[in-house]
Amino acid sequence: MKNSSLLMAGVLTLAVSSHAQSIDSTGLQPHELTDPIVISASRVPQPRSAGSVVVDVISRQQIEQSGASNVVEFLDSVPGLSVNRLYGRLGIDASVDVGYMGEAGSQNVLILVDGQRVNSLDSSGVRFAQVPMSSIERIEIRKAGGGALYGERAQGGVINIITRADATKEVNLALGSFGYRKADGYLGFKTDDFSGGLSLMSAHSDGHRQHSDSRQESAQFRISHTSALGKVSVIARGFEETANLPGSLTRDEYAVDPKKASSSYAPHTHRTGNSLGIKYDRAIGADDLLTIDVLQQTSKDESYGTYYYNVGGTQFGDYSASTITNKRISVNPEYRMKLGVAQFVFGGEFSSADANTDSGKQVHRSSESAYVQAMRPMGYGITLDGGARTQRVHSDFQKSTTEAQTSSSDQKNSVSAGLKAQLSEATSVRVGALTGFRFANADELYLFDRNTFAMLEINPNLHPMTTREYFLQAEQKYSNGKVEAHYRNIKAQDEIGYQAICGSVGTTLASCNANLYDTTRSIFSLASEWLLTPSLSVKASVDFINAKIATGSNAGNRLPMTPKEVIRITAEQRFQDFSLMASSHYRGNLIQASDQSFSNPLIPSRNLIDLGAKTQLSKTISMSAWIRNLTNKNYYDYASGNGIYPADVRGFYLNIKASL
């Protein structure tokens, strides 16, 4: 806790500094847009300051300034978020958690690209590599549940990646430690009627561990046409990812050599995917807008390897080769209208999805939902909004082609209410209450063999997870910066998670995903941004988290994979021709995944320091260099059953950007 105390002192010191300069509310550098337009607060484009929920807006310039090699790496620097990168800097099998939802955090955050969900029907993480970094215009992070607006999986929050369609032409090249190399380019075009862009990305890494080399390729093409009949946009996207996964180490193996690969299971994976979306926008009169959004997406995940295990002191090995294919088609009609000073949104989301394996196991799920959102300014700087959604899912299950098909249906409702009060030009307050829900994923529905993980039969006792949330946020602006305080209280019922012992199916011992318990989370975040001198800017944040199990035999215990505190500090010193940047990221200790009884050693706390420099070589060429994990700390952010996943050691990275 010594490091934590020192960093906290730094945060409090920054909060009382003052100099007569102005900075942008969305980052260290001043920008022309200090109040960006966002859509993730209410599904209606509005200034960020007008929304009743907290939405962080990350610009493309901020991402480039950070030197992040991919989306996951950048998100790890955002207050209120938690990121686990199991296999290195490319973000292979990384998970993102908004609201410190814990072990199943990635299943409780909704990831959108241009407003369309990209979460899979199964429990696999979002493949962030499918979105080239060069294609990103901005990222909106909604730090409140979004069940009424966006449906299931939005209990922790929503991340909306919005892609660009400007006429810029640029190329980004990067080299780094452990054989890291990356090329990422964007070619945009714009005429009176057409706009669009093509993004291409290729990244490779040998990895810092044995058996950890990986490769990612992705492409996106976007084109829009505007006429008197409306605007039509077409977005096509594809990606391929090949990786050797070094797996987990025992505690003894980690102590001897954290760079080695697992001796029990180190598979090879090959993942591909593509999507095609068509969006139509048409203005109706002066204030109304009709939107129809259609998306088809497919992903395929192949995995090969031998899993070794012991039974009665004898070692066995089972070769596994599995392929999981996810397909989804969705239609999202929406109508926005204005009545007097009030705005309304009426919409629906309809989808049909399949998750199939090469052995014949399959899940088909259809979903229908309808929602409404209303916003009304009340005068005296007060704006009210509210929303409601109902969603029904129907699932058909089949364990194999020779088995009978079984079915189930669930329906959940969600509501939200929020208030934004502008108390003065510099002071604002947000307060709200909302509910959310999550249905079980395709691979959570089964009981499976405890040793081989082969699916056995449907788990009839698994129910949807639900949440209730209350939040309060206050923001105070000064001439040279701002301070934000944000409190979230989240209560979850029937939380879905892994359970090692679930009885037997016949003579086979079974594990499963189950409704483990109810939980409570209280999160208090304090963030500040300051321009201390005309050339020195600083950002600092601290998150205090109190996440506990509320029911069952482990009631009162801390929730696995949630820290008690997270502290981030970033500083930038600008000189005439270049900038120096430094960041510190402290994360408190964690209880291991699935360790509800707290029987295993804690995942130790850690503090990481990064140093960077950036310079403009010419009007069209810029260069930056970074040292990640400056102190070369051996650490890990994820462990389960004493299976440890070592994180990256110190690395050096060079980035060059050319605008054409």
Side-chain angles (χ1 to χ4, degrees), residues 350-596:
F350 309 93
S351 67
S352 176
D354 294 275
N356 302 324
T357 70
D358 50 7
S359 60
K361 303 179 182 71
Q362 59 182 359
V363 177
H364 171 79
R365 173 170 288 175
S366 60
S367 173
E368 304 88 30
S369 61
Y371 58 88
V372 59
Q373 176 78 4
M375 295 146 287
R376 190 182 193 284
M378 305 299 293
Y380 303 101
I382 296 176
T383 301
L384 296 177
D385 67 46
R389 171 185 289 258
T390 182
Q391 182 170 354
R392 178 184 180 276
V393 299
H394 177 82
S395 301
D396 296 317
F397 319 106
Q398 194 167 14
K399 191 173 69 173
S400 70
T401 55
T402 60
E403 299 283 339
Q405 188 179 83
T406 59
S407 301
S408 73
S409 296
D410 283 299
Q411 182 166 350
K412 286 295 178 182
N413 303 315
S414 182
V415 295
S416 67
L419 178 149
K420 161 69 186 300
Q422 193 70 42
L423 304 181
S424 70
E425 186 177 349
T427 307
S428 62
V429 174
R430 295 175 172 90
V431 61
L434 45 88
T435 63
F437 55 89
R438 176 170 87 83
F439 301 108
N441 301 325
D443 50 0
E444 291 176 330
L445 295 165
Y446 293 90
L447 293 155
F448 47 88
D449 189 303
R450 197 180 303 173
N451 290 320
T452 66
F453 299 102
M455 295 179 181
L456 300 173
E457 66 180 24
I458 300 302
N459 181 0
N461 300 315
L462 188 60
H463 308 293
M465 170 184 171
T466 60
T467 56
R468 290 180 295 152
E469 177 179 351
Y470 306 94
F471 66 84
L472 173 65
Q473 190 252 6
E475 180 177 319
Q476 178 68 45
K477 295 182 179 179
Y478 300 91
S479 60
N480 66 311
K482 70 174 183 177
V483 176
E484 295 182 10
H486 185 198
Y487 175 75
R488 300 181 66 181
N489 182 274
I490 304 171
K491 295 183 178 180
Q493 289 185 308
D494 293 326
E495 186 146 346
I496 300 173
Y498 172 73
Q499 184 168 300
I501 301 174
C502 299
S504 301
V505 177
T507 59
T508 303
L509 297 176
S511 296
C512 67
N513 285 276
N515 299 115
L516 298 178
Y517 36 58
D518 298 343
T519 60
T520 62
R521 294 168 181 83
S522 296
I523 306 160
F524 177 73
S525 300
L526 179 67
S528 61
E529 303 179 7
W530 300 96
L531 194 60
L532 301 180
T533 73
S535 60
L536 175 61
S537 51
V538 181
K539 294 174 68 174
S541 69
V542 56
D543 299 330
F544 296 105
I545 306 101
N546 184 14
K548 292 185 176 180
I549 298 171
T551 59
S553 59
N554 295 309
N557 286 2
R558 187 169 147 202
L559 197 64
M561 296 304 298
T562 54
K564 289 185 177 180
E565 61 275 321
V566 177
I567 305 173
R568 300 173 173 93
I569 301 177
T570 302
E572 179 183 354
Q573 175 67 58
R574 293 179 292 280
F575 301 92
Q576 184 174 357
D577 299 322
F578 69 99
S579 300
L580 293 178
M581 295 153 284
S583 68
S584 173
H585 184 179
Y586 172 84
R587 189 258 306 140
N589 58 40
L590 305 168
I591 293 177
Q592 293 189 30
S594 304
D595 187 15
Q596 295 89 7

Side-chain angles (χ1 to χ4, degrees), residues 200-432:
L200 299 172
M201 187 276 289
S202 177
H204 303 255
S205 176
D206 296 334
H208 80 286
R209 295 178 60 190
Q210 300 170 9
H211 190 74
S212 64
D213 53 300
S214 54
R215 175 179 62 87
Q216 295 173 335
E217 319 279 350
S218 62
Q220 176 178 291
F221 177 71
R222 174 174 181 161
I223 185 170
S224 299
H225 176 254
T226 304
S227 68
L229 298 177
K231 180 180 179 181
V232 177
S233 301
V234 178
I235 304 176
R237 190 178 299 116
F239 80 96
E240 182 178 17
E241 180 178 88
T242 302
N244 287 320
L245 307 183
S248 65
L249 301 179
T250 67
R251 188 165 296 277
D252 290 340
E253 289 173 330
Y254 176 77
V256 173
D257 183 8
K259 293 185 178 181
K260 69 170 293 185
S262 171
S263 58
S264 60
Y265 189 54
H268 170 81
T269 66
H270 180 224
R271 297 148 178 173
T272 58
N274 61 77
S275 65
L276 177 63
I278 301 175
K279 185 176 182 180
Y280 174 70
D281 298 290
R282 180 178 175 83
I284 309 295
D287 299 314
D288 298 354
L289 179 70
L290 172 66
T291 299
I292 301 175
D293 207 344
V294 181
L295 178 69
Q296 184 276 333
Q297 52 187 338
T298 301
S299 65
K300 188 175 184 180
D301 191 330
E302 302 169 87
S303 180
Y304 311 92
T306 301
Y307 178 78
Y308 295 97
Y309 57 96
N310 287 293
V311 177
T314 302
Q315 187 179 61
F316 294 88
D318 288 332
Y319 175 77
S320 63
S322 64
T323 301
I324 300 176
T325 302
N326 277 274
K327 297 181 180 179
R328 178 194 286 123
I329 184 168
S330 60
V331 180
N332 177 200
E334 187 173 273
Y335 190 82
R336 304 173 189 168
M337 63 182 298
K338 193 170 183 180
L339 291 176
V341 296
Q343 288 183 296
F344 294 88
V345 179
F346 302 93
E349 291 185 44
F350 309 93
S351 67
S352 176
D354 294 275
N356 302 324
T357 70
D358 50 7
S359 60
K361 303 179 182 71
Q362 59 182 359
V363 177
H364 171 79
R365 173 170 288 175
S366 60
S367 173
E368 304 88 30
S369 61
Y371 58 88
V372 59
Q373 176 78 4
M375 295 146 287
R376 190 182 193 284
M378 305 299 293
Y380 303 101
I382 296 176
T383 301
L384 296 177
D385 67 46
R389 171 185 289 258
T390 182
Q391 182 170 354
R392 178 184 180 276
V393 299
H394 177 82
S395 301
D396 296 317
F397 319 106
Q398 194 167 14
K399 191 173 69 173
S400 70
T401 55
T402 60
E403 299 283 339
Q405 188 179 83
T406 59
S407 301
S408 73
S409 296
D410 283 299
Q411 182 166 350
K412 286 295 178 182
N413 303 315
S414 182
V415 295
S416 67
L419 178 149
K420 161 69 186 300
Q422 193 70 42
L423 304 181
S424 70
E425 186 177 349
T427 307
S428 62
V429 174
R430 295 175 172 90
V431 61

Side-chain angles (χ1 to χ4, degrees), residues 43-56:
R43 299 191 77 114
V44 172
Q46 62 181 163
R48 177 184 178 273
S49 63
S52 68
V53 298
V54 178
V55 177
D56 281 1

Side-chain angles (χ1 to χ4, degrees), residues 50-62:
S52 68
V53 298
V54 178
V55 177
D56 281 1
V57 182
I58 312 301
S59 68
R60 182 172 67 255
Q61 290 80 9
Q62 286 175 270

